[in-house]
Amino acid sequence: MSAATGPPGPTDGDGRTWQPGHPLQHQQHRPATKPTDAQHDSATWRHVTSRQVNHVLDVCLFAAPLIGDPDGLPWPGTAEWMNLCDADKRRSLLRAGVVATLNEDAHQAAMRQAAQAIRDSEDWAAVARRQAQRRTAIADGAYIPRVVVS
C-alpha cells in the first residue's frame, strides 16, 4: 500500500465496495466499538442507544431490491395506503424507513457542520483562559465585580 493509493475502500459483509462518485460516498464505515467490562456490567450501558447513522449505503443497498419501483407507492398512513395489499404496504413502509434514514443522515451532517462552525468561530482556549483568570482575580480580591443598584 502506498501513500498515494491508500488502503482499499470499505466493503460490507457481502464484499461490495463503494463505487467512486456514488452520492453516499462521503459516508464512512466505522467498526462497532465493544463495551469495556465496566461498561458492560453497568445498568446504563444496556439502556444507552445511539442515533448515529453511518451505514446509509447499506440501508439503500438492502432496501432497493425489496422496494422495487417506488413510483405510485403512497405514503404510509394515508387513505390510499390503507387500500393497498399487505405486500405493497410493506414496500411503502420500507421506503419510508429509507427516507427517514436519509433524513437522519442529512440532519447529522448539518449538526456536524454547525458544531464545526461554532468550534472555528472563536479561540476557545483563550476564552477559557480569560474566564479562569477572571475567576482567580475575583477569588483573590484583585477584581471586584461592579454591582448595579437600581
Side-chain angles (χ1 to χ4, degrees), residues 38-146:
Q39 289 172 326
H40 188 67
D41 292 338
S42 72
T44 57
W45 173 258
R46 289 183 288 253
H47 300 290
V48 173
T49 60
S50 173
R51 290 180 51 110
Q52 182 176 1
V53 176
N54 59 359
H55 297 286
V56 174
L57 179 62
D58 293 332
V59 171
C60 292
L61 290 174
F62 173 81
L66 299 173
I67 294 173
D69 182 17
D71 290 341
L73 282 178
W75 199 250
T78 62
E80 188 179 336
W81 179 82
M82 294 300 292
N83 295 327
L84 292 176
C85 67
D86 287 346
D88 285 342
K89 284 181 179 178
R90 285 189 290 272
R91 288 177 49 224
S92 180
L93 286 171
L94 186 57
R95 181 186 68 168
V98 170
V99 170
T101 301
L102 293 170
N103 286 340
E104 183 64 24
D105 179 60
H107 173 74
Q108 288 176 3
M111 295 297 287
R112 184 174 46 252
Q113 288 174 349
Q116 289 169 347
I118 292 169
R119 178 196 65 202
D120 296 340
S121 68
E122 188 77 41
D123 180 5
W124 295 106
V127 170
R129 277 192 305 274
R130 285 193 306 267
Q131 289 177 344
Q133 289 168 351
R134 184 173 190 274
R135 280 191 304 272
T136 302
I138 290 171
D140 293 345
Y143 174 76
I144 301 172
R146 183 180 304 171

Side-chain angles (χ1 to χ4, degrees), residues 27-46:
Q27 293 294 319
Q28 296 178 1
H29 284 260
R30 295 183 183 99
T33 57
K34 294 185 178 181
T36 64
D37 289 338
Q39 289 172 326
H40 188 67
D41 292 338
S42 72
T44 57
W45 173 258
R46 289 183 288 253

Side-chain angles (χ1 to χ4, degrees), residues 18-30:
W18 292 28
Q19 300 299 317
H22 190 279
L24 301 175
Q25 182 180 2
H26 70 280
Q27 293 294 319
Q28 296 178 1
H29 284 260
R30 295 183 183 99

